[in-house]
Amino acid sequence: MKSVTLYLSSLIILTSCSREKNTIDKNLIYFNSKFLSGDEKYEYYKPKIESKPNAQYLEDLIYVTGYVETNACGKYVGNLKYKNDSIILLYKLVSKEVCGSTSIEKASFIIKNPKNKKYKFRFDWE
């Protein structure tokens, strides 16, 4: 009985320590993505997907929007990563379900910017 208890305790400790922490950056106030189209309108949206995200500076906030190509069956959350004078807008897959279809989505981020700093933006996927 002691060996079973010891084994289960060790298993719980190991699994809790190895879990990836999914913390959202403290400056990300809001994230939303809106489905626009499936594969059928890819050519129409291709120039928008290839363009840089659009950033609007509003006092101590930044409102960023852009178009992304995603897996149609996946569920995503937004996050931020800072690198020098850039903010990387992360589009992170959180579901295990994926398929062979893609979709076009418009992503929106609202970011705190208390220092009123100007940044460069780009999308990345995890």
Side-chain angles (χ1 to χ4, degrees):
M1 185 65 179
K2 280 185 175 183
S3 62
V4 172
T5 305
L6 182 61
Y7 173 76
L8 289 175
S9 298
S10 299
L11 185 62
I12 290 170
I13 290 170
L14 289 174
T15 57
S16 65
C17 291
S18 66
R19 286 189 187 148
E20 181 182 330
K21 298 204 188 290
N22 289 325
T23 57
I24 302 297
D25 187 275
K26 65 181 174 142
N27 290 322
L28 181 60
I29 297 172
Y30 173 82
F31 166 78
N32 186 43
S33 63
K34 178 183 175 187
F35 173 81
L36 298 174
S37 176
D39 293 336
E40 67 276 1
K41 290 189 179 178
Y42 178 78
E43 289 303 316
Y44 172 78
Y45 284 107
K46 185 177 179 181
K48 293 180 180 188
I49 294 168
E50 293 174 347
S51 66
K52 293 181 181 180
N54 179 37
Q56 297 175 346
Y57 292 83
L58 310 165
E59 296 181 22
D60 60 348
L61 298 175
I62 310 170
Y63 177 64
V64 186
T65 58
Y67 297 84
V68 293
E69 181 179 10
T70 66
N71 186 285
C73 301
K75 301 253 187 275
Y76 294 85
V77 296
N79 206 353
L80 307 173
K81 187 189 308 182
Y82 293 85
K83 187 174 183 180
N84 300 325
D85 65 343
S86 297
I87 296 178
I88 301 166
L89 306 166
L90 295 175
Y91 214 72
K92 185 173 182 174
L93 180 68
V94 292
S95 64
K96 293 185 182 195
E97 182 181 346
V98 292
C99 59
S101 299
T102 59
S103 65
I104 311 302
E105 298 190 7
K106 183 176 182 180
S108 302
F109 294 76
I110 298 177
I111 305 164
K112 286 187 217 173
N113 187 21
K115 296 181 181 177
N116 293 318
K117 187 175 174 183
K118 300 291 184 191
Y119 292 97
K120 296 175 188 171
F121 294 94
R122 71 176 174 88
F123 282 105
D124 202 358
W125 291 260
E126 287 187 343

